[in-house]
Amino acid sequence: MARHLLVLTALLEAATGLALLAMPSALASLLLGATLDTAGAATIARVAGAALLTIAFICWQAREHGQSRPGRAVVVALLIYNLAVAAVLVHGSLALKLAGIGLWPAVIAHGLLAAWCIAGLLGGRVAA
């Protein structure tokens, strides 16, 4: 059901958002094998952390309404987000030669979450 997808996404994105707000360089190093060398880069990473907290909040609030029209809209938005994140990370690895220990696990996780969104949207419900 949509509730499981939305709760899992809320928890994962909240943790990632908090990590980006608190220690953006450490997360960048783990994920990309690169540091955030400028104050501007760290600031942009923290903005991304705030955005992830917003995604987490939206998912948490929508967890009981996954089959409603607004709930399905959240799942569609998550599909777009997960596909985009996976594509950006793959580009980072292949084109930019970034290689942190967490990069491919993150690609796989976002790919699986995108597949979960698609399965639910095509099936008329978001399966657990």
mmCIF file of all heavy atoms in Angstrom, residues 1 10 12 17 20 22 27 38 44-45 48 53 69 71 75-76 85 93 97-98 101 104 106 114 122 124 126-127:
data_model
loop_
_atom_site.group_PDB
_atom_site.id
_atom_site.type_symbol
_atom_site.label_atom_id
_atom_site.label_comp_id
_atom_site.label_asym_id
_atom_site.label_seq_id
_atom_site.Cartn_x
_atom_site.Cartn_y
_atom_site.Cartn_z
ATOM 1 N N MET A 1 0.826 -1.183 0.000
ATOM 2 C CA MET A 1 0.000 0.000 0.000
ATOM 3 C C MET A 1 0.870 1.246 0.000
ATOM 4 O O MET A 1 2.044 1.197 0.308
ATOM 5 C CB MET A 1 -0.977 -0.049 1.167
ATOM 6 C CG MET A 1 -0.335 0.143 2.515
ATOM 7 S SD MET A 1 -1.401 0.182 3.977
ATOM 8 C CE MET A 1 -2.648 -0.980 3.623
ATOM 9 N N ALA A 10 9.650 8.984 3.740
ATOM 10 C CA ALA A 10 9.746 10.034 4.762
ATOM 11 C C ALA A 10 10.945 9.791 5.674
ATOM 12 O O ALA A 10 11.717 10.722 5.953
ATOM 13 C CB ALA A 10 8.453 10.100 5.577
ATOM 14 N N LEU A 12 13.725 7.895 5.133
ATOM 15 C CA LEU A 12 15.005 7.980 4.417
ATOM 16 C C LEU A 12 15.371 9.422 4.077
ATOM 17 O O LEU A 12 16.519 9.843 4.276
ATOM 18 C CB LEU A 12 14.959 7.137 3.142
ATOM 19 C CG LEU A 12 14.883 5.626 3.324
ATOM 20 C CD1 LEU A 12 14.666 4.943 1.979
ATOM 21 C CD2 LEU A 12 16.132 5.108 4.010
ATOM 22 N N GLY A 17 18.225 14.454 4.754
ATOM 23 C CA GLY A 17 18.111 15.898 4.886
ATOM 24 C C GLY A 17 18.803 16.413 6.135
ATOM 25 O O GLY A 17 19.526 17.418 6.091
ATOM 26 N N LEU A 20 22.528 16.280 5.614
ATOM 27 C CA LEU A 20 23.007 17.383 4.771
ATOM 28 C C LEU A 20 23.025 18.703 5.528
ATOM 29 O O LEU A 20 23.932 19.520 5.326
ATOM 30 C CB LEU A 20 22.138 17.519 3.522
ATOM 31 C CG LEU A 20 22.488 16.606 2.367
ATOM 32 C CD1 LEU A 20 21.431 16.690 1.282
ATOM 33 C CD2 LEU A 20 23.861 16.930 1.808
ATOM 34 N N ALA A 22 23.412 19.066 8.838
ATOM 35 C CA ALA A 22 24.380 19.016 9.929
ATOM 36 C C ALA A 22 25.818 18.846 9.465
ATOM 37 O O ALA A 22 26.733 19.454 10.033
ATOM 38 C CB ALA A 22 24.017 17.879 10.887
ATOM 39 N N LEU A 27 28.619 13.867 4.238
ATOM 40 C CA LEU A 27 27.691 13.116 3.393
ATOM 41 C C LEU A 27 28.151 13.131 1.940
ATOM 42 O O LEU A 27 28.082 12.110 1.255
ATOM 43 C CB LEU A 27 26.276 13.672 3.522
ATOM 44 C CG LEU A 27 25.212 12.835 2.807
ATOM 45 C CD1 LEU A 27 25.154 11.419 3.358
ATOM 46 C CD2 LEU A 27 23.856 13.491 2.920
ATOM 47 N N THR A 38 33.895 24.675 -0.906
ATOM 48 C CA THR A 38 33.606 26.100 -0.732
ATOM 49 C C THR A 38 32.401 26.280 0.186
ATOM 50 O O THR A 38 31.570 25.379 0.332
ATOM 51 C CB THR A 38 33.303 26.784 -2.081
ATOM 52 O OG1 THR A 38 32.082 26.262 -2.587
ATOM 53 C CG2 THR A 38 34.425 26.556 -3.084
ATOM 54 N N ILE A 44 24.620 25.290 -0.589
ATOM 55 C CA ILE A 44 23.694 24.648 -1.534
ATOM 56 C C ILE A 44 23.325 23.248 -1.029
ATOM 57 O O ILE A 44 22.165 22.828 -1.125
ATOM 58 C CB ILE A 44 24.294 24.586 -2.953
ATOM 59 C CG1 ILE A 44 24.393 25.989 -3.537
ATOM 60 C CG2 ILE A 44 23.497 23.669 -3.858
ATOM 61 C CD1 ILE A 44 23.064 26.701 -3.710
ATOM 62 N N ALA A 45 24.277 22.523 -0.469
ATOM 63 C CA ALA A 45 23.993 21.199 0.092
ATOM 64 C C ALA A 45 22.991 21.311 1.242
ATOM 65 O O ALA A 45 22.096 20.472 1.378
ATOM 66 C CB ALA A 45 25.275 20.525 0.557
ATOM 67 N N ALA A 48 19.608 21.785 -0.157
ATOM 68 C CA ALA A 48 19.108 20.472 -0.582
ATOM 69 C C ALA A 48 18.619 19.678 0.628
ATOM 70 O O ALA A 48 17.600 18.982 0.547
ATOM 71 C CB ALA A 48 20.200 19.699 -1.320
ATOM 72 N N LEU A 53 14.010 17.476 3.744
ATOM 73 C CA LEU A 53 13.127 17.491 4.915
ATOM 74 C C LEU A 53 11.698 17.833 4.513
ATOM 75 O O LEU A 53 10.738 17.290 5.075
ATOM 76 C CB LEU A 53 13.645 18.470 5.967
ATOM 77 C CG LEU A 53 14.853 17.990 6.763
ATOM 78 C CD1 LEU A 53 15.334 19.099 7.702
ATOM 79 C CD2 LEU A 53 14.540 16.732 7.539
ATOM 80 N N ARG A 69 -6.658 11.196 -4.745
ATOM 81 C CA ARG A 69 -6.024 11.919 -5.846
ATOM 82 C C ARG A 69 -4.782 12.695 -5.379
ATOM 83 O O ARG A 69 -3.728 12.604 -6.011
ATOM 84 C CB ARG A 69 -7.051 12.842 -6.498
ATOM 85 C CG ARG A 69 -6.522 13.530 -7.722
ATOM 86 C CD ARG A 69 -7.614 14.342 -8.391
ATOM 87 N NE ARG A 69 -7.045 15.047 -9.501
ATOM 88 C CZ ARG A 69 -7.617 15.182 -10.665
ATOM 89 N NH1 ARG A 69 -8.806 14.668 -10.871
ATOM 90 N NH2 ARG A 69 -7.028 15.850 -11.626
ATOM 91 N N GLY A 71 -2.919 11.998 -2.787
ATOM 92 C CA GLY A 71 -1.934 10.986 -2.406
ATOM 93 C C GLY A 71 -1.218 10.417 -3.612
ATOM 94 O O GLY A 71 0.000 10.224 -3.608
ATOM 95 N N VAL A 75 2.820 10.396 -4.992
ATOM 96 C CA VAL A 75 3.552 9.246 -5.535
ATOM 97 C C VAL A 75 4.130 9.588 -6.913
ATOM 98 O O VAL A 75 5.264 9.219 -7.221
ATOM 99 C CB VAL A 75 2.661 7.987 -5.571
ATOM 100 C CG1 VAL A 75 3.382 6.829 -6.247
ATOM 101 C CG2 VAL A 75 2.246 7.596 -4.149
ATOM 102 N N VAL A 76 3.383 10.294 -7.745
ATOM 103 C CA VAL A 76 3.909 10.724 -9.046
ATOM 104 C C VAL A 76 5.120 11.647 -8.844
ATOM 105 O O VAL A 76 6.144 11.510 -9.524
ATOM 106 C CB VAL A 76 2.817 11.412 -9.895
ATOM 107 C CG1 VAL A 76 3.417 12.066 -11.134
ATOM 108 C CG2 VAL A 76 1.739 10.416 -10.292
ATOM 109 N N VAL A 85 17.011 11.704 -9.308
ATOM 110 C CA VAL A 85 18.152 11.485 -8.416
ATOM 111 C C VAL A 85 19.017 10.330 -8.937
ATOM 112 O O VAL A 85 20.248 10.447 -8.989
ATOM 113 C CB VAL A 85 17.699 11.223 -6.967
ATOM 114 C CG1 VAL A 85 18.868 10.750 -6.101
ATOM 115 C CG2 VAL A 85 17.088 12.479 -6.375
ATOM 116 N N SER A 93 28.730 9.393 -11.507
ATOM 117 C CA SER A 93 29.675 8.282 -11.533
ATOM 118 C C SER A 93 30.329 8.125 -12.905
ATOM 119 O O SER A 93 31.550 8.065 -13.012
ATOM 120 C CB SER A 93 28.966 6.981 -11.150
ATOM 121 O OG SER A 93 29.852 5.894 -11.256
ATOM 122 N N LYS A 97 33.157 10.853 -12.912
ATOM 123 C CA LYS A 97 34.081 9.944 -12.215
ATOM 124 C C LYS A 97 34.048 10.086 -10.703
ATOM 125 O O LYS A 97 35.048 9.911 -10.021
ATOM 126 C CB LYS A 97 35.519 10.115 -12.728
ATOM 127 C CG LYS A 97 35.663 9.980 -14.227
ATOM 128 C CD LYS A 97 35.227 8.631 -14.716
ATOM 129 C CE LYS A 97 35.458 8.518 -16.212
ATOM 130 N NZ LYS A 97 34.519 7.661 -16.871
ATOM 131 N N LEU A 98 32.882 10.408 -10.152
ATOM 132 C CA LEU A 98 32.705 10.450 -8.701
ATOM 133 C C LEU A 98 32.500 9.019 -8.220
ATOM 134 O O LEU A 98 31.890 8.207 -8.911
ATOM 135 C CB LEU A 98 31.512 11.326 -8.334
ATOM 136 C CG LEU A 98 31.648 12.797 -8.731
ATOM 137 C CD1 LEU A 98 30.338 13.525 -8.518
ATOM 138 C CD2 LEU A 98 32.781 13.468 -7.975
ATOM 139 N N ILE A 101 31.518 5.427 -1.503
ATOM 140 C CA ILE A 101 31.037 4.102 -1.134
ATOM 141 C C ILE A 101 29.503 4.019 -1.171
ATOM 142 O O ILE A 101 28.934 2.965 -1.421
ATOM 143 C CB ILE A 101 31.590 3.676 0.246
ATOM 144 C CG1 ILE A 101 31.323 2.201 0.489
ATOM 145 C CG2 ILE A 101 31.003 4.543 1.347
ATOM 146 C CD1 ILE A 101 32.071 1.636 1.668
ATOM 147 N N TRP A 104 26.546 3.946 -5.511
ATOM 148 C CA TRP A 104 25.732 2.931 -6.199
ATOM 149 C C TRP A 104 24.621 2.379 -5.322
ATOM 150 O O TRP A 104 23.517 2.117 -5.833
ATOM 151 C CB TRP A 104 26.618 1.844 -6.819
ATOM 152 C CG TRP A 104 27.255 2.408 -8.058
ATOM 153 C CD1 TRP A 104 28.537 2.851 -8.200
ATOM 154 C CD2 TRP A 104 26.604 2.678 -9.301
ATOM 155 N NE1 TRP A 104 28.724 3.365 -9.460
ATOM 156 C CE2 TRP A 104 27.560 3.266 -10.160
ATOM 157 C CE3 TRP A 104 25.311 2.495 -9.777
ATOM 158 C CZ2 TRP A 104 27.257 3.655 -11.460
ATOM 159 C CZ3 TRP A 104 25.018 2.877 -11.077
ATOM 160 C CH2 TRP A 104 25.980 3.447 -11.903
ATOM 161 N N ALA A 106 22.917 4.170 -3.347
ATOM 162 C CA ALA A 106 21.904 5.226 -3.461
ATOM 163 C C ALA A 106 21.195 5.147 -4.813
ATOM 164 O O ALA A 106 19.979 5.322 -4.898
ATOM 165 C CB ALA A 106 22.536 6.601 -3.263
ATOM 166 N N ALA A 114 11.633 4.169 -7.329
ATOM 167 C CA ALA A 114 10.936 4.572 -8.556
ATOM 168 C C ALA A 114 10.100 3.407 -9.093
ATOM 169 O O ALA A 114 8.944 3.602 -9.498
ATOM 170 C CB ALA A 114 11.936 5.042 -9.612
ATOM 171 N N LEU A 122 0.590 2.018 -11.837
ATOM 172 C CA LEU A 122 0.020 1.196 -12.907
ATOM 173 C C LEU A 122 -1.010 0.219 -12.400
ATOM 174 O O LEU A 122 -1.961 -0.114 -13.107
ATOM 175 C CB LEU A 122 1.133 0.432 -13.649
ATOM 176 C CG LEU A 122 2.074 1.291 -14.482
ATOM 177 C CD1 LEU A 122 3.142 0.419 -15.098
ATOM 178 C CD2 LEU A 122 1.319 2.059 -15.535
ATOM 179 N N GLY A 124 -2.997 0.751 -9.883
ATOM 180 C CA GLY A 124 -4.126 1.419 -9.256
ATOM 181 C C GLY A 124 -3.981 1.555 -7.762
ATOM 182 O O GLY A 124 -4.748 2.235 -7.113
ATOM 183 N N VAL A 126 -0.633 1.375 -4.591
ATOM 184 C CA VAL A 126 0.797 1.261 -4.336
ATOM 185 C C VAL A 126 0.992 0.089 -3.396
ATOM 186 O O VAL A 126 0.614 0.144 -2.237
ATOM 187 C CB VAL A 126 1.370 2.569 -3.755
ATOM 188 C CG1 VAL A 126 2.848 2.437 -3.517
ATOM 189 C CG2 VAL A 126 1.086 3.723 -4.717
ATOM 190 N N ALA A 127 1.522 -0.994 -3.922
ATOM 191 C CA ALA A 127 1.661 -2.227 -3.140
ATOM 192 C C ALA A 127 2.784 -2.116 -2.131
ATOM 193 O O ALA A 127 3.722 -1.362 -2.300
ATOM 194 C CB ALA A 127 1.944 -3.396 -4.091
#
